[in-house]
Amino acid sequence: MTCSVSCLGEAATAVLTTAAPLEKVRLTRLHAAAWRDGLLSPAVPAPPPDRPARPDRPELKLPRDMPKRGRGGSAQNRIALLHALAHIELNAIDLAWDIVARFAPLGLPKGFTDDWIQVADDEARHFQMLETRLNELGSSYGDLPAHDGLWQAATETAHDLAARLAVVPMVLEARGLDVTPDTVRRLRDFGDGESADLLQTIHDEEISHVAAGRRWFVHLCAERGAEPVALWQELVARHFRGGLKRPFNTASRQLAGFGPEYYEPITPEIDRRPETR
């Protein structure tokens, strides 16, 4: 399989303007391999589109209009859970390519592009895994509605790489680390070890995504002469709607180098529950 684009910007645009999920995945994996093999130049001749292409299905709704997802172990509830996660992973593919195309031209080291193309590749593989599991359960991505709030973080932070890193990997992806262990336990209790193993793999690999966000956030702070914790807290307060929520998976966050000095001081004390282990 050969790569039909010659530069990074073309690769990113090809993915972001592709609506079909499996084709988006295929192009991501193809272009990520081409980048690793040195077949793409780092040129980004034009900025990325403001919003990625989306397929006709699933129907996109406002978060408040989404049907409530049950926590029980029925096949219907497990399908709804996996479908929601597949939707997140599909958006994560586009978020990774957007951060490359939008911010790599700012003169960052090559390692920045390496990291976020690897993130895009991981997210594409995660979507494939979830789609395969949905198929095994008699469903597929697009069969259920999904919420249309995930791209809001990209729009809100399109002007500032520090804000993008503060919100997307260091809030949204970190939240995934928090909630996944309980979901894995519940799936095992329901007898769905296949789905539990899949989510555990995704959780473990997402640690490196949070770590990449923190690493490049600290890099930017050093360039700007800013103190990382203070700037992160300021940017989250300004650009993230919804507030931070407990419990925190402090063990996985620490593996990502993301310590509680960042998030504990700005998290409400109310609703304090035992930390995820």
Side-chain angles (χ1 to χ4, degrees), residues 155-266:
T155 302
E156 175 71 23
T157 60
H159 65 292
D160 181 17
L161 176 57
R164 175 68 61 87
L165 294 171
V167 170
V168 174
M170 297 177 73
V171 172
L172 299 179
E173 291 205 71
R175 182 61 181 162
L177 300 182
D178 299 336
V179 301
T180 300
D182 181 62
T183 305
V184 168
R185 282 194 293 269
R186 286 191 288 111
L187 287 169
R188 294 203 191 282
D189 290 343
F190 299 147
D192 190 348
E194 293 88 346
S195 297
D197 289 344
L198 188 160
L199 265 61
Q200 187 65 55
T201 295
I202 291 175
H203 166 275
D204 294 347
E205 294 182 354
E206 296 280 351
I207 291 172
S208 68
H209 302 178
V210 178
R214 188 207 63 84
R215 179 167 57 253
W216 291 106
F217 183 79
V218 171
H219 174 89
L220 284 179
C221 287
E223 287 191 339
R224 298 180 183 187
E227 198 284 314
V229 171
L231 181 59
W232 183 81
Q233 293 174 352
E234 175 188 333
L235 292 171
V236 169
R238 187 185 310 162
H239 297 293
F240 180 67
R241 302 171 189 175
L244 304 184
K245 298 178 182 178
R246 304 179 191 276
F248 298 120
N249 184 345
T250 53
S252 292
R253 285 170 174 250
Q254 287 282 21
L255 288 174
F258 189 31
E261 67 275 12
Y262 281 87
Y263 49 85
E264 281 286 358
I266 61 171

Side-chain angles (χ1 to χ4, degrees), residues 7-8 10 31 37-38 48-49 63 104 110 113 119 128 144-145 239 253 257:
C7 71
L8 186 64
E10 291 175 348
H31 297 331
D37 292 341
K110 178 177 177 293
T113 302
V119 169
Q128 283 181 306
L144 299 174
H239 297 293
R253 285 170 174 250

Side-chain angles (χ1 to χ4, degrees), residues 2-252:
T2 59
C3 182
S4 61
V5 303
S6 61
C7 71
L8 186 64
E10 291 175 348
T13 297
V15 174
L16 290 165
T17 57
T18 294
L22 292 179
E23 180 64 6
K24 188 183 291 287
V25 166
R26 186 189 73 82
L27 290 175
T28 291
R29 308 223 63 195
L30 178 67
H31 297 331
W35 175 260
R36 287 191 293 267
D37 292 341
L39 301 178
L40 295 178
S41 83
V44 181
D50 291 335
R51 184 176 176 86
R54 283 288 174 263
D56 293 335
R57 298 171 62 248
E59 177 189 2
L60 297 180
K61 297 186 174 186
L62 293 172
R64 66 171 181 267
D65 296 330
M66 285 291 294
K68 298 296 183 183
R69 193 170 68 240
R71 291 172 58 87
S74 69
Q76 181 180 2
N77 286 337
R78 287 182 285 125
I79 286 170
L81 167 67
L82 295 172
H83 190 278
L85 294 174
H87 185 63
I88 290 170
E89 297 294 340
L90 189 70
N91 277 268
I93 296 170
D94 289 323
L95 283 165
W97 282 110
D98 183 85
I99 202 173
V100 166
R102 192 173 300 278
F103 298 112
L106 299 180
L108 290 152
K110 178 177 177 293
F112 175 86
T113 302
D114 292 341
D115 279 349
W116 294 105
I117 288 183
Q118 183 60 54
V119 169
D121 202 21
D122 289 346
E123 308 292 18
R125 185 163 40 79
H126 295 168
F127 179 88
Q128 283 181 306
M129 294 161 61
L130 288 161
E131 174 68 354
T132 298
R133 184 61 183 147
L134 282 169
N135 296 164
E136 292 169 351
L137 294 172
S139 186
S140 63
Y141 178 68
D143 287 352
L144 299 174
H147 74 76
D148 195 30
L150 289 169
W151 198 252
Q152 180 181 336
T155 302
E156 175 71 23
T157 60
H159 65 292
D160 181 17
L161 176 57
R164 175 68 61 87
L165 294 171
V167 170
V168 174
M170 297 177 73
V171 172
L172 299 179
E173 291 205 71
R175 182 61 181 162
L177 300 182
D178 299 336
V179 301
T180 300
D182 181 62
T183 305
V184 168
R185 282 194 293 269
R186 286 191 288 111
L187 287 169
R188 294 203 191 282
D189 290 343
F190 299 147
D192 190 348
E194 293 88 346
S195 297
D197 289 344
L198 188 160
L199 265 61
Q200 187 65 55
T201 295
I202 291 175
H203 166 275
D204 294 347
E205 294 182 354
E206 296 280 351
I207 291 172
S208 68
H209 302 178
V210 178
R214 188 207 63 84
R215 179 167 57 253
W216 291 106
F217 183 79
V218 171
H219 174 89
L220 284 179
C221 287
E223 287 191 339
R224 298 180 183 187
E227 198 284 314
V229 171
L231 181 59
W232 183 81
Q233 293 174 352
E234 175 188 333
L235 292 171
V236 169
R238 187 185 310 162
H239 297 293
F240 180 67
R241 302 171 189 175
L244 304 184
K245 298 178 182 178
R246 304 179 191 276
F248 298 120
N249 184 345
T250 53
S252 292

